[in-house]
Amino acid sequence: MRGFSFRWRAWAGVAVAAVTVAASAGPAAAGKGDGPGVGAGIAAIMKKHRYAHARWGLLEVDEKGRTLRSGNAGEFFIPGSAAKLFSVSGTWRTIGGGHRFTTPVLAAGHRHGAELDGRLVLVAQGDLSLGGRTGPRGTLEYTDIDHTYANDVPGATLTPQNPLAGIDELARQVRRSGITGVRGDVVVDSRLFTSSPGLDPAPTPLIVNDNVIDLLTTATSAGRPARLTWRPHVAPYRVESHVRTVRRGGTTDIDVTASPDGTSITLTGTIAAGAKPVLRVSQVRDPDAFGRTALIEALGRAGVTVHAPATGPNPSGLLREQPVRGQRVAAYVSPPYAEYAKVILKVSHNLGANLGICLMAVHAGGHRCDDGFGPLTAFVRKAGVDPRQVQLLDGRGGNPVDRITPAAFSRLLRYWERTPEAARFRRALPVLGVDGSLAGSCTRAASCPAHGKVFAKPGTVAGYDAVNDRLAVGAQTLAGYLDAGHGRRHTFFIGVNGASAPGIEGVLAIGEDLNRIAALLQERAAGTAR
């Protein structure tokens, strides 16, 4: 169910406050509405003790637009990461699913044979991956639990791609252009946009490895230091590990701390012998300086000598003109945006969803990321959704003002079904029992007929409840499509605001409840209910 839209510690207080706004009715409310009742199986789930003070929303609409089941469909719900359906859809339809990001390197100055008397300028274009996830066939790769969630959600893993692949390719192209020496400096031009306070994590025009350092700890033998590998290796970042291996079956608990500038990272804690490797991440605090150093180091590996120091602040003061004038000596061209949308939706990529707001701003001629909400509103109207049923101040669904009605979700999903890209959009969603955030549920078709037949985006908002020493689950939601057989598809929304859980496993159990409801709806729609 993993559709997390937040970081636990950062959003703990906000999520609790949001619960008091939304959780006002009991589970019986889900039986009200325009369609037939929910059925005994679904009702039993909704009546569990963890939902004693919660409010449910439910909406199922068939391929002809007829409402089959409805409860609180016109009321606001905290959407969690299901809000990414709106931000990703808006970005996709605004800049185009086929849009490719072209990130150039310009040589500004004078060439003297193989020497550049001037500077190289990497002009950041808002490419979320910059080659770091690109597979051999031009697709963007992902794992079911993304590395960006490694500090909050158990089981996060890495894709095998080199996170510096795009930077390395740019460096090789610079060398192929004939340049072997740079007597000036290397600069990152990140003036494409400026982020906004409501966007957390804050998008940046240059993003390398999702602006994080990956830290993978592997157990050795009990009593011995654990083994650490990390990536990407870029100066002056350095990592120390004080994690020790304890007996098999012991406690695995690893913490990460970093210096104020993020360049000195320390891991402490324990890992049990025989345990799977544990991934953690640490934030890159200055993406421009990080990217500049990464490019200078990559240029060195490619045979290009830069005479300026490799580390230190990005010398943005050298950028006196907009745009920079110079000869293009390299350019990295990305896969199409639809591939990015797939990753954002499959793994609930918060940075990518927020980045979409900034990309819409740039497309509309704006500079501040907040300028992207105008194009998003225009898209919402075009999709036939009443914008008064959509409240958003970010792209990921983690801001405390975010609210969306089930009816708005349904209209958005039905809009896509009328477009030529309907199938590609549907396949970009997590698929129940198959991939992304829904990979771990309904994993065997023999015991779960809905396996592979629910395409949906989950969302979670939760935080610590200090009064009761538990997690307050402000929202757990799920919205998408049910395969009803014979080429028919129903749109659906399931959401609960105001549940509670004793810990992270309880939050995961709530997600499993929603997945089970979706499976029951799909089985009924397809006539396979047992």
Side-chain angles (χ1 to χ4, degrees):
M1 71 90 194
R2 301 171 182 90
F4 291 92
S5 64
F6 66 103
R7 292 174 294 178
W8 289 96
R9 295 178 181 87
W11 284 99
V14 170
V16 174
V19 171
T20 64
V21 172
S24 59
K32 299 186 299 181
D34 307 319
V38 296
I42 295 175
I45 293 172
M46 292 179 170
K47 291 178 182 177
K48 289 184 178 181
H49 178 70
R50 60 174 67 110
Y51 308 119
H53 304 290
R55 178 168 64 98
W56 282 91
L58 178 67
L59 180 62
E60 181 184 357
V61 178
D62 72 8
E63 71 282 358
K64 295 182 179 180
R66 297 175 299 195
T67 298
L68 303 181
R69 267 159 285 280
S70 175
N72 296 331
E75 299 181 17
F76 273 131
F77 280 80
I78 302 170
S81 280
K84 291 181 175 73
L85 289 169
F86 278 85
S87 59
V88 170
S89 294
T91 308
W92 188 326
R93 301 300 287 176
T94 298
I95 72 173
H99 175 80
R100 295 177 186 267
F101 301 89
T102 299
T103 302
V105 173
L106 306 179
H110 302 283
R111 294 274 294 267
H112 302 286
E115 290 284 321
L116 172 65
D117 186 5
R119 56 190 177 274
L120 291 176
V121 182
L122 189 161
V123 185
Q125 295 295 305
D127 186 336
L128 178 62
S129 175
L130 200 60
R133 292 178 183 260
T134 305
R137 297 183 180 180
T139 58
L140 286 187
E141 304 302 311
Y142 62 92
T143 61
D144 292 332
I145 307 177
D146 193 62
H147 72 146
T148 54
Y149 283 105
N151 293 354
D152 299 316
V153 183
T157 53
L158 295 170
T159 61
Q161 284 76 29
N162 173 13
L164 297 177
I167 295 289
D168 286 341
E169 174 58 24
L170 288 170
R172 289 190 292 266
Q173 289 185 33
V174 171
R175 178 63 185 84
R176 288 198 294 268
S177 77
I179 295 175
T180 60
V182 180
R183 295 198 174 276
D185 213 324
V186 173
V187 191
V188 172
D189 183 349
S190 61
R191 295 176 292 179
L192 183 69
F193 60 75
T194 57
S195 192
S196 304
L199 301 181
D200 180 20
T204 51
L206 180 66
I207 298 171
V208 178
N209 199 43
D210 298 315
N211 289 344
V212 299
I213 304 294
D214 297 315
L215 312 158
L216 188 66
T217 299
T218 304
T220 54
S221 57
R224 303 289 298 172
R227 185 169 66 253
L228 172 71
T229 56
W230 60 282
R231 70 177 202 184
H233 285 256
V234 175
Y237 282 75
R238 61 187 186 277
V239 182
E240 288 187 3
S241 175
H242 302 288
V243 179
R244 298 193 65 81
T245 306
V246 297
R247 62 175 178 79
R248 187 177 296 269
T251 299
T252 295
D253 186 10
I254 299 173
D255 288 324
V256 179
T257 57
S259 59
D261 66 357
T263 62
S264 179
I265 303 167
T266 304
L267 288 84
T268 57
T270 58
I271 183 171
K276 292 182 179 179
V278 174
L279 181 65
R280 294 288 185 264
V281 295
S282 186
Q283 197 71 25
V284 171
R285 306 286 172 81
D286 188 341
D288 289 349
F290 183 84
R292 172 186 175 272
T293 297
L295 180 55
I296 291 174
E297 292 178 341
L299 287 165
R301 293 191 294 270
V304 180
T305 301
V306 177
H307 293 275
T311 59
N314 179 50
S316 57
L318 296 174
L319 302 171
R320 299 185 181 91
E321 55 196 19
Q322 176 75 297
V324 174
R325 296 187 183 93
Q327 177 192 8
R328 179 183 289 192
V329 292
Y332 180 81
V333 181
S334 77
Y337 176 76
E339 281 294 306
Y340 289 79
K342 176 191 69 177
V343 171
I344 295 167
L345 293 171
K346 292 285 189 186
V347 308
S348 203
H349 198 287
N350 290 329
L351 180 61
N354 279 347
L355 177 63
I357 304 297
C358 305
L359 296 176
M360 285 187 281
V362 172
H363 183 84
H367 180 71
R368 300 180 306 113
C369 288
D370 279 348
D371 296 333
F373 286 104
L376 178 59
T377 302
F379 162 74
V380 166
R381 288 196 175 99
K382 180 179 178 180
V385 179
D386 181 353
R388 293 171 298 181
Q389 295 189 35
V390 180
Q391 293 181 181
L392 291 174
L393 194 56
D394 65 3
R396 72 183 183 110
N399 193 281
V401 309
D402 293 350
R403 300 288 190 279
I404 303 175
T405 69
F409 277 110
S410 179
R411 292 189 182 98
L412 173 70
L413 293 163
R414 291 186 63 219
Y415 159 81
W416 274 105
E417 289 293 276
R418 302 190 298 271
T419 71
E421 295 179 292
R424 188 167 195 178
F425 175 77
R426 189 168 59 253
R427 290 194 297 266
L429 299 174
V431 183
L432 189 64
V434 177
D435 62 21
S437 303
L438 299 181
S441 302
C442 191
T443 55
R444 296 177 64 249
S447 57
C448 182
H451 172 88
K453 298 176 182 178
V454 176
F455 306 79
K457 181 71 192 75
T460 306
V461 174
Y464 180 61
D465 168 12
V467 172
N468 298 288
D469 189 24
R470 63 184 183 184
L471 292 179
V473 185
Q476 185 69 54
T477 56
L478 188 64
Y481 301 99
L482 308 170
D483 184 344
H486 307 290
R488 299 175 299 122
R489 281 175 292 277
H490 296 182
T491 64
F492 78 95
F493 170 89
I494 309 163
V496 60
N497 282 184
S500 60
I504 181 64
E505 294 303 323
V507 177
L508 298 176
I510 293 173
E512 290 300 305
D513 282 345
L514 268 68
N515 294 343
R516 180 56 184 155
I517 292 173
L520 291 170
L521 291 175
Q522 189 281 324
E523 292 167 17
R524 184 181 298 182
T528 58
R530 294 168 295 175

